Amino acid sequence: VGVALAVTGGVKLLAGRARPYVGKERPHDFALARGLRGSEWRSFPSGHTTVGFATAAAVTATVSAHAPGARWPLGVGLYGAGALMGWSRIHDDRHWASDVVGGAGIGTVTGLAVARWH
């Protein structure tokens, strides 16, 4: 989760994407390093979704190495929780759908990488 948040934090600061509540008509509003100016410019990627998917990936990979039969039930539950977290961020006008997809990708890749490395 820490590695995933470090990556996400860096991307947020550099991407400088406007959040939906700043303006619904501005889904493509990115500006290099604008995320340094405040949280309203740190939409991409979703940090909450990153955490949910990093947790799902790392826990599922680690548990399935010791109990392969638990992989699918655990994975469905944990990844489903991560997806619901992402949906809630879209619903609350905190993120665009592409922010959630980006966060899910970063979380999954970093979660799997750390579980494999560990």
Side-chain angles (χ1 to χ4, degrees):
V1 171
V3 172
L5 282 175
V7 171
T8 297
V11 174
K12 280 179 173 289
L13 294 176
L14 290 175
R17 187 178 198 184
R19 293 191 183 269
Y21 64 78
V22 172
K24 288 280 193 188
E25 68 286 347
R26 299 165 59 172
H28 304 293
D29 189 4
F30 289 84
L32 184 62
R34 185 170 58 185
L36 295 168
R37 294 189 351 206
S39 66
E40 65 270 17
W41 309 110
R42 295 183 194 145
S43 186
F44 182 82
S46 168
H48 285 81
T49 307
T50 299
V51 168
F53 277 78
T55 301
V59 170
T60 302
T62 302
V63 170
S64 68
H66 301 288
R71 179 180 182 181
W72 280 101
L74 185 62
V76 168
L78 290 174
Y79 281 104
L84 285 173
M85 191 178 307
W87 175 84
S88 75
R89 304 301 289 163
I90 295 167
H91 183 266
D92 291 343
D93 268 348
R94 302 295 293 176
H95 288 287
W96 305 96
S98 55
D99 300 338
V100 169
V101 171
I106 291 170
T108 301
V109 169
T110 55
L112 291 173
V114 168
R116 177 170 286 179
W117 175 75
H118 183 267

